[in-house]
Amino acid sequence: RPILDMSYSRHFLDFQGSSIPSSMKKLVVTKLSQNFREAVTLRQDSPVPLPGDGDLLVRNRFVGINASDINYSAGRYDASVKPPFDIGFEGVGDVVALGLSASADYTVGQAVAYVKAGSFAEYTVVPAKQAVPLPSVKPEFLTLMVSGATAYISLKELGELSEGKKVLVTAAAGGTGQFAVQLAKKAKCHVIGTCSSDEKGGFLKSIGCDRTINYKTENVESVLRKDYPEGVDVVYESVGGKMFDLALNSLATKGRLIVIGFIAGYQNPTGLQPVKAELLPAKLLKKSASIRGFFLNHYLSEYKMALKDLLKMYESGDLVCEVDFGDMSPEGKFIGLESVFRAVDYMYMGKNIGKIVVELPHSVNSKL
């Protein structure tokens, strides 16, 4: 099988016979800001990186957009990291070259997915240990890497789901909400999902949501009070601000609120929208309720197992992995790294149904 040992050459052929360039496009954070367009620069002529002995060089075909891309470009995750630094958390693509040790488990031409900073680039070096082999390069697999795994692990570890429990999912038609809805249904729970349009509501019903609440046309608090007077047992919360307060007030006795994000605040300079926290101890005590935060990086020991299970469910047709390429956005489908900026805007405007994915086209001029 072909192994391209890259240590000698900056310019080489990929497995389809076309020349891999010596330079590439990539997105780089050049200034810390919660305004993604201000923070990030498209570099046209960055050197294509060289994989080391245990690495793969992946030609990215699809990259995922995450709400936390803005937290990263604002420097909120690690204050010690100073610009310039690479951005983008996840990608799916082909292995075009690899180091000698990496060739024990991978071959040139293999489809892989990965979670690693620096995916907003035409090529990314990925340690072989961090790669996930795939049967083919499909954008649906990308939905599972961060979004699917977040829903799966957080609900399994913190949700204590069981038959008949009432589960509220906020931003339910989004990249990770779609999985929280489906996984809660698989646990035989009654699922309520908030969303911002009737079209999203239709999608949520199609994946099993029992009650959808369009917060643009319905008062979420009134609906929950009227239809669920005893409260909800679990909330999967990613919005923050007023939605957090509302979710907290809607908890049942012994209810659990899982915080996986607070997208409403990410574009603020401080990253936080105020919540009515001064009454928090009393509210929790009164209901024996609890709030748990969930950050995927702290649960990496569970990651491989979660992904294996999610991939199995998707391949057997038991899991819908909705991808939004921005076809309905004003300027059309998200193609090329230039469109990452539009894709981030689209997410923060709340337009997406499912996971936002950007396609990176690659023309192969065969030399064979």
Side-chain angles (χ1 to χ4, degrees):
R1 59 188 178 176
I3 297 167
L4 287 182
D5 182 351
M6 295 267 309
S7 49
Y8 305 109
S9 161
R10 259 236 173 269
H11 201 75
F12 47 96
L13 295 180
D14 81 7
F15 69 100
Q16 288 173 317
S18 68
S19 173
I20 293 178
S22 51
S23 64
M24 66 171 185
K25 292 180 186 174
K26 73 172 178 177
L27 295 185
V28 178
V29 176
T30 48
K31 171 191 170 187
L32 295 183
S33 171
Q34 71 284 348
N35 179 327
F36 192 82
R37 287 177 183 270
E38 269 182 24
V40 179
T41 304
L42 175 63
R43 294 251 166 99
Q44 300 280 354
D45 54 356
S46 296
V48 171
L50 294 174
D53 181 56
D55 296 333
L56 312 173
L57 182 66
V58 178
R59 185 182 75 214
N60 294 314
R61 299 265 298 280
F62 299 101
V63 294
I65 303 294
N66 290 285
S68 42
D69 289 328
I70 278 189
N71 278 340
Y72 200 55
S73 70
R76 291 184 187 133
Y77 282 159
D78 185 350
S80 67
V81 179
K82 302 288 181 237
F85 56 85
D86 297 348
I87 190 164
F89 289 124
E90 55 187 341
V92 165
D94 308 295
V95 175
V96 290
L98 70 174
L100 208 54
S101 298
S103 69
D105 299 306
Y106 288 91
T107 58
V108 166
Q110 190 160 358
V112 293
Y114 65 88
V115 176
K116 178 183 177 285
S119 70
F120 292 165
E122 291 178 313
Y123 297 88
T124 303
V125 166
V126 180
K129 286 180 183 160
Q130 288 179 26
V132 178
L134 298 175
S136 61
V137 173
K138 282 170 77 171
E140 285 78 8
F141 292 126
L142 194 54
T143 66
L144 302 174
M145 299 302 294
V146 171
S147 302
T150 295
Y152 184 102
I153 300 170
S154 64
L155 289 174
K156 179 173 175 284
E157 296 291 315
L158 310 178
E160 297 174 35
L161 301 184
S162 59
E163 188 170 351
K165 295 276 193 208
K166 294 183 278 294
V167 178
L168 171 65
V169 180
T170 63
T176 187
Q178 64 172 328
F179 294 111
V181 168
Q182 293 178 80
L183 294 168
K185 281 308 292 178
K186 284 184 192 309
K188 299 185 174 161
C189 297
H190 176 94
V191 183
I192 309 131
T194 70
C195 61
S196 60
S197 72
D198 291 342
E199 190 192 355
K200 290 184 180 189
F203 165 68
L204 289 173
K205 289 195 174 102
S206 78
I207 58 170
C209 202
D210 297 288
R211 173 67 160 100
T212 61
I213 308 174
N214 178 347
Y215 63 80
K216 294 278 176 78
T217 58
E218 296 179 271
N219 182 305
V220 181
E221 196 169 6
S222 304
V223 170
L224 290 172
R225 202 181 298 129
K226 177 173 157 288
D227 293 358
Y228 304 95
E230 300 291 307
V232 295
D233 301 297
V234 179
V235 182
Y236 183 86
E237 215 297 274
S238 62
V239 177
K242 288 177 182 154
M243 188 63 86
F244 173 89
D245 288 329
L246 203 151
L248 178 68
N249 293 339
S250 305
L251 283 177
T253 302
K254 298 185 183 174
R256 290 172 297 289
L257 194 159
I258 304 170
V259 177
I260 64 118
F262 42 95
I263 190 171
Y266 291 173
Q267 289 181 301
N268 293 353
T270 60
L272 287 167
Q273 277 200 332
V275 294
K276 293 174 182 162
E278 62 275 8
L279 299 173
L280 192 59
K283 285 179 180 178
L284 295 177
L285 178 64
K286 188 179 167 188
K287 295 178 175 177
S288 293
S290 62
I291 298 176
R292 300 288 298 270
F294 179 88
F295 187 43
L296 186 59
N297 291 11
H298 298 147
Y299 287 84
L300 294 179
S301 58
E302 307 293 315
Y303 185 76
K304 282 254 157 93
M305 175 275 300
L307 210 54
K308 195 173 165 188
D309 209 7
L310 287 163
L311 283 165
K312 200 162 72 184
M313 279 192 268
Y314 170 65
E315 289 184 311
S316 63
D318 285 338
L319 195 66
V320 172
C321 296
E322 189 70 17
V323 172
D324 191 332
F325 278 118
D327 295 284
M328 307 309 287
S329 67
E331 293 169 60
K333 191 173 174 179
F334 303 133
I335 297 182
L337 287 170
E338 303 80 3
S339 66
V340 167
F341 298 97
R342 281 200 299 122
V344 169
D345 289 345
Y346 181 76
M347 174 173 50
Y348 278 91
M349 287 188 284
K351 300 290 189 193
N352 58 301
I353 295 180
K355 172 87 179 179
I356 301 176
V357 173
V358 174
E359 183 176 356
L360 305 186
H362 180 80
S363 58
V364 175
N365 304 315
S366 181
K367 302 252 189 287
L368 301 177

